């Protein structure tokens, strides 16, 4: 029970978001990883607080950016994504056995960075007079994690390379919204997040190609098939091509967009 893959379960199962982030940042990367051992799924994945209330994304209330409440609601929505991203990174570590040790180290480092992002955003929310849980949120990210829990290739293809890559596309417009209402602090946090998320998506690309090669699969054709099989959301322009290239998407993949 002392392997890295076992230890990620503590923050993953923790309901309190502040403690979840702290426990994630405290994960030590030394010691045994336990790459080959299958781990039985414990109940309660992922740990979730009582608030925010989770609703379909189509039911989320729209707020005016002319108000502090609207500004905070936008920051809250990003914080919620980052909290989910902690769980997504931790979940891939314990759930899928048999990958190289570097795979697990990559995703624990990513979880630590997501925990930092959540903490920065949550602290900023508090400075605006709100907190995480003050607004409703959706669970689309975790829904995809549940749908892909049986296949590591689908998980990597459709979470970091699809849902998280959408964050690269959305970042410039969201940053401009925040700058438009004078929130330079939130905009600066988004710059930190974008830089790190390029690395996270790059890890997704690297390990997706690794698994495709191991299975003798064409990455582009396989991705299209997985999108259809798992009913992944269709990607829509505008695309942040510069960030996507930096994250390792090939020209053939960008053309397929």
């Amino acid at each position: 029970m002392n392997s890295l893959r076992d230890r990620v379960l503590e923050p993953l199962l923790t309901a309190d978001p502040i403690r979840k982030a702290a426990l994630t940042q405290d994960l030590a990367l030394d010691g045994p990883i336990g790459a080959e051992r299958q781990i039985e799924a414990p109940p309660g994945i992922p740990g979730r607080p009582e608030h925010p209330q989770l609703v379909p994304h189509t039911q989320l209330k729209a707020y005016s950016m002319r108000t502090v409440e609207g500004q905070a609601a936008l920051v809250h929505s990003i914080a919620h994504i980052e909290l989910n991203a902690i769980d997504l990174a931790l979940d891939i570590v314990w759930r899928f056995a048999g990958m190289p040790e570097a795979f697990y180290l990559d995703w624990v480092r990513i979880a630590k960075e997501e925990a930092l992002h959540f903490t920065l955003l949550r602290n900023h929310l508090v400075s605006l007079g709100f907190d995480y849980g003050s607004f409703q949120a959706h669970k689309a990210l975790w829904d995809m994690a549940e749908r892909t829990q049986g296949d590591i290739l689908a998980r990597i293809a459709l979470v970091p390379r699809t849902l998280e890559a959408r964050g690269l596309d959305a970042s410039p417009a969201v940053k401009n919204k925040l700058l438009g209402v004078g929130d330079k602090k939130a905009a600066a946090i988004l710059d930190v997040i974008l830089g790190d998320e390029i690395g996270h998506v790059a890890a997704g690309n690297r390990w997706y190609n690794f698994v495709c090669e191991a299975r003798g699969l064409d990455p582009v054709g396989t991705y299209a098939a997985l999108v259809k099989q798992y009913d992944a959301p269709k990607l829509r322009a505008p695309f942040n091509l510069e960030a996507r290239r930096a994250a390792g998407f090939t020209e053939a993949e960008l053309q397929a967009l």
Side-chain angles (χ1 to χ4, degrees):
M1 289 299 294
N2 292 321
S3 78
L4 180 62
R5 293 183 58 233
D6 289 301
R7 286 187 281 116
V8 300
L9 286 169
E10 183 181 6
L12 181 59
L13 293 168
T14 296
D16 179 80
I18 299 167
R19 179 165 169 75
K20 182 191 292 286
L23 287 171
T24 300
Q25 288 182 301
D26 287 343
L27 282 169
L29 296 176
D30 56 352
I33 291 175
E36 298 301 326
R37 189 169 64 84
Q38 295 290 340
I39 299 175
E40 185 176 348
I45 292 178
R48 280 286 182 266
E50 183 178 352
H51 298 289
Q53 177 190 14
L54 299 181
V55 300
H57 69 90
T58 54
Q59 294 180 18
L60 291 174
K61 180 179 177 181
Y63 295 87
S64 170
M65 286 296 291
R66 298 174 186 172
T67 66
V68 176
E69 185 180 32
Q71 177 184 340
L74 179 55
V75 174
H76 184 278
S77 70
I78 307 167
H80 180 68
I81 291 170
E82 297 302 320
L83 185 69
N84 273 268
I86 298 172
D87 287 331
L88 290 165
L90 296 174
D91 188 76
I92 205 171
V93 172
W94 81 265
R95 188 176 295 277
F96 299 103
M99 292 291 284
E101 291 192 350
F103 172 86
Y104 303 105
L105 292 172
D106 267 354
W107 290 106
V108 174
R109 291 189 190 100
I110 287 169
K112 287 173 172 284
E113 290 179 352
E114 306 290 17
L116 172 62
H117 301 166
F118 172 78
T119 302
L120 291 172
L121 291 162
R122 186 259 168 178
N123 290 345
H124 186 53
L125 264 178
V126 172
S127 76
L128 295 173
F130 298 85
D131 204 344
Y132 180 69
S134 295
F135 302 91
Q136 292 180 330
H138 66 80
K139 58 187 184 77
L141 275 170
W142 192 256
D143 283 345
M144 182 58 73
E146 291 183 336
R147 279 146 60 186
T148 58
Q149 63 183 340
D151 182 7
I152 190 172
L153 184 64
R155 172 67 67 86
I156 298 172
L158 302 178
V159 176
R161 298 184 76 250
T162 300
L163 299 184
E164 293 187 54
R166 290 172 73 186
L168 305 183
D169 301 328
S171 183
V174 174
K175 179 181 175 181
N176 286 337
K177 279 187 179 182
L178 291 164
L179 288 175
V181 296
D183 194 342
K184 295 181 181 178
K185 176 65 174 177
I189 294 172
L190 277 190
D191 284 340
V192 172
I193 292 174
L194 178 61
D196 289 343
E197 293 296 341
I198 288 173
H200 302 175
V201 177
N205 277 322
R206 183 166 61 254
W207 291 112
Y208 173 76
N209 287 318
F210 174 89
V211 178
C212 280
E213 183 175 352
R215 296 184 184 181
L217 299 172
D218 167 58
V220 177
T222 298
Y223 178 75
L226 290 169
V227 167
K228 183 176 181 180
Q229 178 181 348
Y230 289 90
D231 192 26
K234 293 179 174 59
L235 300 178
R236 293 182 174 85
F239 299 111
N240 190 341
L241 296 180
E242 179 182 359
R244 282 178 172 268
R245 287 190 179 97
F249 283 101
T250 65
E251 291 304 313
E253 289 169 325
L254 296 179
Q255 286 295 322
L257 291 174

